[in-house]
């Protein structure tokens, strides 16, 4: 089908948030209150922090402040791939923290196991399915690169099935696939908005006080308390955890460590049984291709296909604006790629199109820290892979605020910070050059030009 026609009726909003399960807003904060711990941000980072703070110590008085609505940002509009990796894939982890990789993989798997247990224990109805991920190659150079890291992942205990052309097409039938891997345990699929709303409910049931539509404008450090100033009230807290993602940081030092990158996705109408059978997909894995500009895709509970990725867009100047959540040029490109991958679905239409902003840092995986004499902790920089890893980051923030060393806080990965991005306008020029070079690499058998090789050597990068 012509992509423009296929997109004509697609709603311009995130599919997951367009749901009858969306709860009513919780009251704004009016007046003054106190708390042992104040959490800023109602995405996964903040929700996990508040929830696990109460699980660790039920007597703790915890308040969570969300500027808009719980889960409205990246957490409620993503692909719903909850990955075990804490390092944005094993290759990135090996490159940066080779001596810790076995520990990082073990902690990442345990984190995903525990995430699944919380979903079950609290009865969170978010379609959680630990189906793993298919990594598919569409070009020979991609296969060669994938095989390198699989060998190491297997040595570290990961279950990877290597699938040739026939076997991978028997899983998901696309004429573009030439081979790939099925990472069996490294990923669960879920409905991210329902997870956010479920975590919100779990927090409330343990006694966390949540105020929505309550942006924190300023953090004031006094000898007696950390004061969070909001439009109509103040929280005087003993400690603070920031789960504010990519938004205007309340801490100046984070400004040069994060850039906002937009990622886009489409949702199809539900597939009939016959159409689904033409693709196979009986094991319902998440799928990601292995290009630098990659696509990710998956089935929903009612057998739609979420199709996202490819373009990772940095708007010069690094602003966050609602109008950036829609990009027709990208939607058309994504629709074309969908039909190339699944020509048997050429009559399928799209019902939703949307974008969201990602907290990208130069090491592609989150960083953590403390400030204000150990009274404020932060975790950010998940670079497009935070559905699972934010839970680990929340634990790191609680460990840091607790003040006692733990296995997590002893990690070099946790202690080190990423390299900062240069100031504007050099930042925009550098990022656009990198985006162009990445696209060129995909066109030329993955060969990285001088610019990318220099960034690689410096440990700097750009990714979605
Ligand atoms: C299109 C898209 C697809 C993605 N796909 C995947 C995927 O499949 N798998 C995966 O692992 N990751 C994916 N991600 C990334 C993932 O969604 C994020 O890493 C994760 O949700 C980050 O959670 P967070 O809580 O840190 O940030 P956010 O979800 O951005 O939440 C931050 C919250 O803090 C609030 N806030 C900010 N400042 C203040 C303030 N001053 N006062 C009060 N509140 C404040 C904001 O309103 C917001 O609600 C994707 C992201 C996008 C955009």
């Amino acid at each position: 089908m012509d992509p423009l026609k296929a997109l004509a009726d697609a709603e311009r909003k995130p599919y997951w948030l367009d749901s009858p399960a969306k709860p009513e807003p919780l009251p704004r904060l009016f007046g003054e209150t106190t708390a042992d711990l104040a959490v800023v941000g109602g995405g996964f980072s903040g929700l996990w922090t508040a929830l696990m703070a109460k699980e660790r110590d039920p007597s703790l008085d915890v308040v969570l402040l969300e500027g808009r609505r719980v889960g409205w940002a990246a957490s409620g509009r993503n692909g719903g791939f909850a990955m075990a990796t804490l390092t944005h894939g094993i290759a990135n982890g090996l490159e940066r923290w080779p001596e810790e990789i076995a520990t990082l993989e073990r902690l990442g798997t345990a984190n995903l196991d525990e995430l699944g247990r919380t979903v079950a224990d609290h009865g969170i109805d978010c379609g959680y399915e630990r189906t793993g991920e298919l990594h598919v190659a569409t070009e020979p150079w991609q296969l060669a690169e994938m095989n390198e890291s699989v060998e190491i992942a297997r040595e570290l205990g990961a279950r990877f099935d290597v699938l040739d052309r026939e076997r991978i097409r028997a899983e998901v039938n696309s004429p573009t696939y030439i081979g790939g891997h099925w990472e069996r345990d490294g990923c669960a699929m879920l409905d991210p908005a329902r997870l956010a709303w479920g975590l919100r409910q779990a927090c409330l049931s343990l006694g966390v006080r949540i105020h929505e539509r309550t942006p924190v404008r300023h953090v004031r450090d006094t000898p007696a308390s950390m004061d969070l100033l909001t439009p109509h009230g103040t929280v005087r807290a003993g400690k603070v955890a920031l789960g504010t993602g990519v938004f205007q940081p309340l801490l100046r030092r984070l400004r040069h460590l994060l850039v906002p990158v937009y990622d886009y996705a489409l949702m199809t109408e539900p597939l009939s049984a016959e159409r689904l059978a033409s693709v196979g997909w009986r094991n319902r894995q998440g799928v990601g291709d292995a290009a630098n500009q990659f696509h990710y895709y998956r089935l929903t509970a009612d057998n739609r296909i979420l199709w996202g990725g490819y373009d990772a867009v940095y708007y010069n100047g690094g602003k966050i604006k609602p109008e950036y959540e829609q990009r027709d040029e990208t939607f058309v490109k994504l629709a074309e790629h969908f039909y190339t991958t699944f020509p048997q679905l050429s009559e399928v239409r799209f019902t939703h199109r949307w974008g969201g902003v990602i907290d990208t840092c130069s090491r592609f995986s989150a960083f953590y820290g403390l400030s204000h004499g150990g009274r404020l902790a932060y975790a950010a920089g998940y670079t497009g892979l935070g559905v699972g890893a934010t839970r680990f980051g929340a634990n790191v923030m609680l460990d840091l605020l607790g003040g006692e060393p733990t296995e997590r806080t002893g990690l070099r990965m946790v202690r080190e910070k990423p390299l900062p991005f240069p100031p504007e306008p050099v930042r925009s020029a550098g990022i656009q050059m990198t985006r162009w070079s990445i696209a060129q690499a995909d066109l030329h058998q993955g060969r990285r030009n001088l610019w990318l090789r220099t960034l690689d050597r410096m440990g700097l990068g750009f990714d979605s």
Side-chain angles (χ1 to χ4, degrees):
M1 189 182 306
D2 171 27
L4 284 177
K5 192 169 155 208
L7 286 162
D9 298 327
E11 304 251 25
R12 293 184 179 275
K13 52 183 160 183
Y15 167 76
W16 308 113
L17 293 169
D18 184 18
S19 159
K22 185 173 181 171
E24 288 300 311
L26 292 161
R28 295 177 162 92
L29 175 69
F30 287 105
E32 210 176 288
T33 187
T34 59
D36 298 318
L37 174 68
V39 178
V40 188
F44 292 142
S45 295
L47 291 163
W48 281 114
T49 307
L51 183 68
M52 294 192 300
K54 282 301 256 186
E55 285 174 349
R56 287 182 184 204
D57 177 1
S59 71
L60 207 70
D61 185 17
V62 181
V63 68
L64 185 150
L65 304 175
E66 162 54 46
R68 290 174 64 171
R69 299 292 309 279
V70 161
W72 78 272
S75 295
R77 60 179 69 210
N78 58 63
F81 288 54
M83 307 286 293
T85 181
L86 303 174
T87 57
H88 210 278
I90 193 164
N92 188 47
L94 260 176
E95 182 76 27
R96 295 176 192 277
W97 306 286
E99 80 287 4
E100 287 181 348
I101 195 71
T103 310
L104 292 169
E105 290 285 294
R106 171 174 57 76
L107 292 174
T109 302
N111 179 60
L112 185 56
D113 292 345
E114 288 158 16
L115 186 156
R117 267 200 295 280
T118 302
V119 165
D121 290 350
H122 286 274
I124 298 177
D125 177 17
C126 65
Y128 180 91
E129 303 179 276
R130 187 89 177 249
T131 51
E133 182 176 0
L134 281 184
H135 304 276
V136 301
T138 57
E139 307 266 356
W141 66 268
Q142 297 171 2
L143 213 48
E145 280 191 4
M146 286 163 71
N147 286 338
E148 266 175 44
S149 44
V150 154
E151 230 176 270
I152 295 181
R154 275 176 153 176
E155 280 173 34
L156 295 172
R159 283 203 302 149
F160 268 87
D161 293 355
V162 176
L163 306 178
D164 63 14
R165 178 192 298 253
E166 277 63 44
R167 286 183 64 207
I168 198 134
R169 292 185 186 184
E171 289 298 328
V172 176
N173 183 18
S174 169
T176 63
Y177 299 169
I178 62 166
H181 306 138
W182 181 359
E183 184 180 0
R184 290 275 185 160
D185 311 306
C187 180
M189 307 311 302
L190 50 80
D191 173 334
R194 282 175 182 259
L195 175 61
W197 298 330
L199 290 173
R200 169 193 190 259
Q201 187 52 42
C203 282
L204 293 173
S205 72
L206 295 191
V208 176
R209 288 174 289 143
I210 300 180
H211 296 284
E212 293 184 283
R213 298 171 296 170
T214 303
V216 175
R217 301 271 192 241
H218 189 62
V219 180
R220 197 173 53 200
D221 181 7
T222 76
S225 58
M226 296 286 289
D227 296 348
L228 302 182
L229 312 184
T230 77
H232 310 289
T234 301
V235 179
R236 300 196 193 286
K239 293 186 174 165
V240 173
L242 295 185
T244 50
V246 69
F247 299 95
Q248 176 78 22
L250 291 161
L251 205 57
R252 278 189 81 83
R253 72 178 70 161
L254 302 186
R255 288 204 185 146
H256 297 294
L257 299 181
L258 294 169
V259 294
V261 172
Y262 280 81
D263 186 41
Y264 297 90
L266 302 177
M267 187 65 90
T268 70
E269 60 189 329
L271 301 190
S272 64
E274 197 181 323
R275 279 179 172 162
L276 182 59
S278 75
V279 185
W281 222 334
R282 284 173 306 279
N283 293 309
R284 304 181 59 83
Q285 308 94 330
V287 185
D289 65 46
N292 290 301
Q293 283 188 286
F294 61 93
H295 305 88
Y296 56 88
Y297 39 109
R298 54 154 307 174
L299 292 170
T300 61
D302 61 351
N303 294 328
R304 298 161 184 268
I305 298 176
L306 179 151
W307 180 264
Y310 194 75
D311 277 341
V313 182
Y314 176 77
Y315 292 91
N316 287 347
K319 295 270 183 302
I320 297 174
K321 296 185 181 174
E323 56 264 37
Y324 293 162
E325 292 172 12
Q326 292 292 319
R327 193 167 193 263
D328 286 343
E329 185 192 336
T330 295
F331 296 138
V332 168
K333 214 184 292 177
L334 281 173
E336 283 168 0
H337 297 177
F338 175 85
Y339 294 129
T340 306
T341 303
F342 297 126
Q344 65 274 49
L345 301 182
S346 63
E347 294 307 310
V348 168
R349 289 170 176 272
F350 299 97
T351 61
H352 292 76
R353 51 183 141 172
W354 72 94
V357 60
I358 278 172
D359 54 337
T360 296
C361 73
S362 64
R363 70 183 208 180
F364 310 147
S365 50
F367 56 89
Y368 320 87
L370 275 178
S371 77
H372 295 78
R375 292 195 293 167
L376 181 148
Y378 57 86
Y382 292 92
T383 316
L385 270 194
V387 174
T390 42
R391 187 184 175 285
F392 177 86
N395 261 322
V396 172
M397 285 198 276
L398 293 173
D399 289 353
L400 290 170
L401 289 172
E404 293 295 323
T406 66
E407 183 180 31
R408 284 181 285 256
T409 59
L411 292 165
R412 186 160 68 85
M413 189 267 274
V414 167
R415 286 183 279 114
E416 285 179 356
K417 302 287 181 290
L419 287 169
F421 291 98
E424 294 286 5
V426 179
R427 177 180 298 189
S428 289
I431 291 176
Q432 303 309 0
M433 177 68 183
T434 310
R435 289 186 61 217
W436 180 82
S437 302
I438 285 172
Q440 289 300 306
D442 280 337
L443 292 174
H444 297 98
Q445 290 81 46
R447 277 198 298 276
R448 297 173 81 75
N449 64 14
L450 183 63
W451 174 254
L452 290 181
R453 292 200 306 276
T454 308
L455 292 183
D456 291 344
R457 271 198 298 278
M458 291 165 66
L460 260 174
F462 172 81
D463 201 80
S464 69

